[in-house]
Amino acid sequence: MEPIIETRNLTRRFGGLVAVNEMNLAIERGEVRGLIGPNGSGKTTLINLISGVYEPTSGDVLFNGKSIAGWSPNRIANYGLLRSFQVPRLFGSMSVMENMLIARFADFRLDYRKDYDGATEKAQQLLEMAELDPLRDKPAKILSGGQKALLQIVRGFMVDNISVYLLDEPFAGVNVVVKETIMKVIEQMRQAGVTFLLVSHEMASVRRMCSRVTVMAQGARIAEGSMEEVAANPQVIDAYLGGKK
Ligand SMILES: Nc1ncnc2c1ncn2[C@@H]1O[C@H](COP(=O)(O)OP(=O)(O)OP(=O)(O)O)[C@@H](O)[C@H]1O
Ligand SMILES: [Mg+2]
C-alpha cells in the first residue's frame, strides 16, 4: 500500500548548516511512527518541512502520494495533516471548551451557527477522552503545564478529516498521569484511523507506542526498525554517545 506520508531526499539548509539532509521517510497508514535522535539531529525541522512551516531546499514531501512541498501550513492542515507545537498555544482567559471550539471555527469555511451543536458534542467527547471534561468551563490558564499540552493535542482532533498528526515532544514536562492519558488518546485516535509521527526523547514511551522507530542523526536517517533493533544498532549508539565523548 502507498505510504500516507513520504519524504524523498528531503533537504533543508540554514546558511551553511544542513539541518535535514537527503531524508527519506515512509509512514504507513495507521502507524504510530517513532522519530528519535540526539539534540539537533533535525527532527523538529523535519516536522516543520512536512507541515509546511519551512519550505524544502530540495527534495519532496508526498501526502497520499501527492506532492505538498511548498504548500502553506493552512492548506496542508485543511488537507488533513496537523502538527502540534512544543509550547502549547492556548487562549488563557477563554474556557477549556472555548479553546476546543475556536480550533473548529477558526476554519472560515464552516458556518458557526449551523455547526455549533455538533462541534460542542465532539469537543465534549474529546475532553472526556482526555479526562479534561471536569475543567471544561474553567479558563485555560489554570491548567497545569501537562494539561495544557493535553488540551492542545486533543484540540487538533476538532479539525475535520484529520488523517495525520505530527507530535513534537508531547511528553516534555508532563507528569506521569497526564503522560498516560496522552498515550491513551494517541492509541484511541490511531484505532479511529489517524496516523501519527511521534518525536520524543522518552524512549520508554516510544517503545510502548511505536512498533517502528526511525532514528535521525545530523539530518539524515541512520536506522529504522523496532526499538529493540535500533537500540542495538552500533551507528545509533555511536550517534547518541558521540556528542558526549
Ligand atoms: N530556523 C533555523 N535557523 C537556523 N538553524 C536552525 C533553524 N532551525 C533549526 N536549525 C538548526 O538545525 C539543526 C536541527 O535542529 P532541530 O531543531 O530540527 O533538531 P531536533 O532534532 O529537533 O533537536 P531537539 O531534540 O533538541 O529538539 C540544529 O543545528 C539547529 O540549530
Ligand atoms: Mg526538536
Side-chain angles (χ1 to χ4, degrees):
M1 211 168 60
E2 176 183 79
I4 189 162
I5 289 289
E6 198 178 348
T7 71
R8 292 190 184 157
N9 302 323
L10 191 62
T11 299
R12 173 68 202 213
R13 294 172 191 277
F14 294 108
L17 180 100
V18 191
V20 171
N21 191 4
E22 304 276 326
M23 181 68 189
N24 290 300
L25 177 73
I27 305 175
E28 303 302 325
R29 215 167 290 275
E31 258 194 275
V32 180
R33 172 67 61 89
L35 179 62
I36 65 172
N39 292 117
S41 55
K43 306 179 296 297
T44 297
T45 305
L46 182 66
I47 283 189
N48 283 328
L49 287 167
I50 297 173
S51 59
V53 175
Y54 293 151
E55 264 189 61
T57 304
S58 59
D60 208 352
V61 181
L62 306 181
F63 180 28
N64 289 316
K66 177 177 174 148
S67 175
I68 56 165
W71 286 24
S72 73
N74 272 339
R75 187 166 172 218
I76 293 174
N78 287 338
Y79 202 60
L81 192 157
L82 228 73
R83 60 87 53 84
S84 72
F85 289 89
Q86 198 169 331
V87 179
R89 297 172 175 196
L90 299 171
F91 300 94
S93 50
M94 289 171 69
S95 74
V96 168
M97 177 55 94
E98 285 164 342
N99 270 279
M100 293 292 283
L101 294 176
I102 199 107
R104 178 77 160 213
F105 297 117
D107 183 342
F108 56 82
R109 294 169 307 174
L110 292 169
D111 185 335
Y112 180 84
R113 290 148 303 178
K114 248 193 251 166
D115 199 41
Y116 186 79
D117 289 345
T120 307
E121 195 183 315
K122 185 173 181 182
Q124 177 66 25
Q125 284 168 3
L126 288 166
L127 289 175
E128 283 169 18
M129 189 197 291
E131 294 163 27
L132 290 171
D133 52 304
L135 297 165
R136 57 171 273 171
D137 299 318
K138 297 275 190 283
K141 63 182 167 219
I142 71 146
L143 300 184
S144 72
Q147 287 169 331
K148 283 179 183 152
L150 185 53
L151 176 57
Q152 195 215 187
I153 290 169
V154 291
R155 185 174 64 172
F157 298 119
M158 289 300 289
V159 172
D160 269 332
N161 308 321
I162 173 169
S163 59
V164 177
Y165 207 167
L166 313 176
L167 296 174
D168 197 0
E169 311 270 6
F171 309 121
V174 165
N175 72 43
V176 269
V177 177
V178 174
K179 198 180 296 176
E180 285 298 325
T181 311
I182 293 175
M183 285 195 266
K184 185 189 78 177
V185 167
I186 294 172
E187 181 50 30
Q188 286 192 15
M189 295 313 288
R190 187 190 70 77
Q191 284 174 21
V194 179
T195 302
F196 289 88
L197 180 65
L198 174 61
V199 171
S200 180
H201 287 290
E202 304 240 346
M203 300 301 168
S205 309
V206 174
R207 184 190 308 264
R208 250 178 70 186
M209 302 294 306
C210 309
S211 47
R212 206 167 174 76
V213 178
T214 301
V215 188
M216 284 183 83
Q218 296 180 327
R221 184 180 70 176
I222 59 163
E224 202 167 84
S226 70
M227 193 60 160
E228 281 63 35
E229 284 163 357
V230 302
N233 182 317
Q235 257 188 292
V236 175
I237 296 166
D238 197 51
Y240 272 95
L241 297 179
K244 293 177 187 141
K245 268 177 202 157

